[in-house]
Amino acid sequence: MANVAVVGSQWGDEGKGKIVDWLSSRADVIVRFQGGHNAGHTLVINGVTYKLSLLPSGVVRPGKLSVIGNGVVVDPWALLREIENIAAQGVQITPESLIVAENATLILPLHSAVDKAREEARGAGKIGTTGRGIGPAYEDKVARRAIRLCDLADEAVLEHKVDQLLFHHNALLRGLNAPEIDRAELLAQLREIAPRILPYSAVVWQRLEEARAQGKRILFEGAQGAMLDVDHGTYPFVTSSNTVSGNAAAGSGMGPGAVGHVLGITKAYTTRVGSGPFPTELFDDIGELIGAKGKEFGVVTGRKRRCGWFDAVLVRQAVKVGGIDGIALTKLDVLDGIEELKVCTGYRYKGEVIHHLPAGQTAQAEVEPIYETFQGWTESTYGARSWADLPATAIKYIRRIEELIEAPVTLLSTSPERDDTILMRDPFQG
Ligand code: IMP
């Protein structure tokens, strides 16, 4: 029985929440391995909607162990707020059902302040971050001055780390003529949160190893998507972590062999929030229609998502760099009723035809999509539960996508409801 890693294959918001929830009902342990509360997952279970940011999607299912791995940046205030909010919906979270890696990096209030201030200073060149302090927290991590969860239990180290952090950040703030961060206030905030968050702290790699030894099924839950990966995405318009499945191992403390089957969640069209290149973006009525019908607004920030045609070049690239074994295709029904559909099969760049997204910023902005046109379908595919329920032209669209991206459609999601899923192959069977 293989473990499964679920990752986004576009710019995030592919509908991972539903698929992860569906798979988590069949897993024992659900692990977040990167990102932070910039992610937004919507789950609809028995008509009740749950919106999660930092918590693994498994938390809403009793009897599962939810894990926040070392690769995640954890804002303890945001985490406790989320735990309270979900408790108000009747889901109780305890240190028995949720553990957080003791070596996870913390997001501090200063990180979101820096994130927002820098975005403002960038003006037109802004990245369009979620403003949650993700980038600044990862910067502190790789600069080896971050406060980690375990530091909250060690007063001497905590004080020393706060000094190191403020030495760096206050020097910058002084240079910007901005108010400096008060040492005593930050320490007081950290001392106040420590006893509330530390009960969740655990030696995650060890707990995961134990689970593996007992033959438990582990589900690795990715956030964002391959095109937001800090190495493989549309840099610098990316998030600050590796979103590809390779990071599921390092971000949770397991070897690559533990990751198992990689399922890439893929929307039947393309969306992106924030700035940056988007070759198949639509600026017309069809783009508006897709956005409205697909309810394309961010879960975390409420921002309107940019919409466009399916880009097979990008998804094929995500399949290759992310080791995606199969895809879960979502939101096909949003395309119901559109007379003619387009899929990008290559780019024209400087008079040549290319089949990859180049790394350079100018090239990414200048590539022109080459489209293949498909006849649409008038029937509704919403809620379809078998292949036989799908119109022939929809099947043709799916088959051509499989060919172009060089990966099979492992499952097809036809509505936000869990049971509206057509399974072609069980990801847990490898
Ligand atoms: P950050 O992760 O807040 O630093 O934002 C960097 C970029 O990633 C921005 O374009 C965000 O809109 C995007 N982003 C971050 N998290 C998500 C997500 O969960 N879904 C879609 N886009 C995201």
Side-chain angles (χ1 to χ4, degrees):
M1 195 62 66
N3 293 326
V4 174
V6 169
V7 292
S9 69
Q10 293 153 318
W11 276 290
D13 308 317
E14 297 93 352
K16 285 186 287 295
K18 168 186 156 171
I19 309 289
V20 170
D21 170 54
W22 188 79
L23 289 168
S24 69
S25 66
R26 304 166 62 232
D28 304 297
V29 183
I30 297 94
V31 191
R32 279 275 314 260
F33 58 89
Q34 48 75 227
H37 64 314
N38 49 349
H41 290 169
T42 307
L43 311 180
V44 182
I45 302 173
N46 298 329
V48 183
T49 302
Y50 302 91
K51 288 189 187 293
L52 303 176
S53 262
L54 185 54
L55 289 170
S57 296
V59 291
V60 293
R61 309 216 156 261
K64 313 285 175 189
L65 178 65
S66 292
V67 179
I68 295 181
N70 55 276
V72 176
V73 278
V74 181
D75 179 328
W77 293 273
L79 178 59
L80 292 174
R81 256 197 320 272
E82 207 174 316
I83 291 175
E84 272 170 31
N85 289 344
I86 199 132
Q89 285 190 286
V91 179
Q92 300 306 324
I93 293 171
T94 66
E96 276 66 54
S97 58
L98 172 73
I99 56 172
V100 184
E102 56 173 3
N103 51 345
T105 292
L106 298 186
I107 300 183
L108 308 176
L110 70 94
H111 290 130
S112 67
V114 169
D115 195 356
K116 286 176 194 155
R118 279 203 308 223
E119 279 286 272
E120 218 173 285
R122 282 188 190 111
K126 71 175 184 202
I127 292 166
T129 71
T130 59
R132 301 283 162 102
I134 307 294
Y138 275 119
E139 286 167 33
D140 279 344
K141 172 179 172 170
V142 295
R144 295 164 293 192
R145 57 174 170 255
I147 293 176
R148 309 200 298 175
L149 182 54
C150 53
D151 299 331
L152 294 180
D154 187 335
E155 182 65 26
V157 167
L158 191 63
E159 288 198 23
H160 174 68
K161 283 240 178 121
V162 164
D163 286 336
Q164 277 193 319
L165 264 178
L166 296 191
F167 176 74
H168 173 82
H169 287 285
N170 278 343
L172 284 177
L173 291 168
R174 268 195 301 280
L176 293 167
N177 276 330
E180 293 183 34
I181 290 141
D182 185 71
R183 178 180 191 271
E185 194 186 333
L186 177 57
L187 274 169
Q189 286 172 324
L190 291 168
R191 287 179 188 131
E192 191 275 328
I193 201 86
R196 299 202 283 141
I197 197 80
L198 279 170
Y200 296 97
S201 172
V203 185
V204 157
W205 67 267
Q206 207 166 45
R207 294 285 295 274
L208 291 177
E209 176 50 30
E210 280 162 17
R212 191 156 112 103
Q214 290 162 7
K216 300 233 165 106
R217 287 184 189 185
I218 303 172
L219 179 64
F220 298 93
E221 176 179 1
Q224 292 91 41
M227 289 302 135
L228 287 171
D229 182 285
V230 68
D231 287 292
H232 300 290
T234 46
Y235 192 91
F237 302 100
V238 292
T239 192
S240 296
S241 61
N242 284 114
T243 60
V244 293
S245 68
N247 196 21
S252 60
M254 300 191 88
V259 174
H261 184 93
V262 180
L263 185 65
I265 315 300
T266 308
K267 219 181 260 188
Y269 47 95
T270 314
T271 63
R272 120 164 259 180
V273 271
S275 328
F278 182 172
T280 61
E281 184 166 12
L282 286 166
F283 300 96
D284 59 7
D285 290 351
I286 296 184
E288 286 294 318
L289 178 93
I290 291 175
K293 212 168 152 193
K295 300 190 180 67
E296 297 296 353
F297 296 90
V299 175
V300 170
T301 57
R303 288 180 293 177
K304 193 174 171 186
R305 297 179 187 140
R306 300 154 66 192
C307 297
W309 294 123
F310 188 86
D311 190 337
V313 180
L314 284 191
V315 177
R316 182 176 165 275
Q317 196 158 322
V319 164
K320 303 300 174 193
V321 299
I324 291 173
D325 295 303
I327 65 160
L329 194 66
T330 63
K331 297 183 107 170
L332 182 72
D333 61 283
V334 173
L335 303 180
D336 293 354
I338 301 178
E339 210 172 309
E340 200 176 72
L341 303 171
K342 289 185 180 169
V343 168
C344 171
T345 59
Y347 300 130
R348 205 173 305 283
Y349 180 58
K350 289 194 186 298
E352 280 182 38
V353 174
I354 56 172
H355 291 94
H356 72 286
L357 186 70
Q361 220 174 312
T362 309
Q364 288 187 351
E366 286 179 2
V367 292
E368 284 173 38
I370 299 167
Y371 288 118
E372 203 168 288
T373 304
F374 293 77
Q375 190 192 331
W377 51 92
T378 48
E379 302 91 326
S380 167
T381 61
Y382 188 87
R385 292 195 182 178
S386 94
W387 205 241
D389 293 340
L390 298 176
T393 43
I395 293 176
K396 208 167 155 198
Y397 182 76
I398 298 168
R399 291 293 181 224
R400 184 65 181 135
I401 282 177
E402 286 182 314
E403 233 169 59
L404 288 167
I405 66 170
E406 297 177 28
V409 172
T410 303
L411 59 91
L412 187 69
S413 158
T414 56
S415 96
E417 283 291 342
R418 229 179 121 211
D419 294 334
D420 293 338
T421 303
I422 303 173
L423 183 65
M424 259 68 90
R425 186 170 143 206
D426 183 350
F428 278 114
Q429 299 297 340

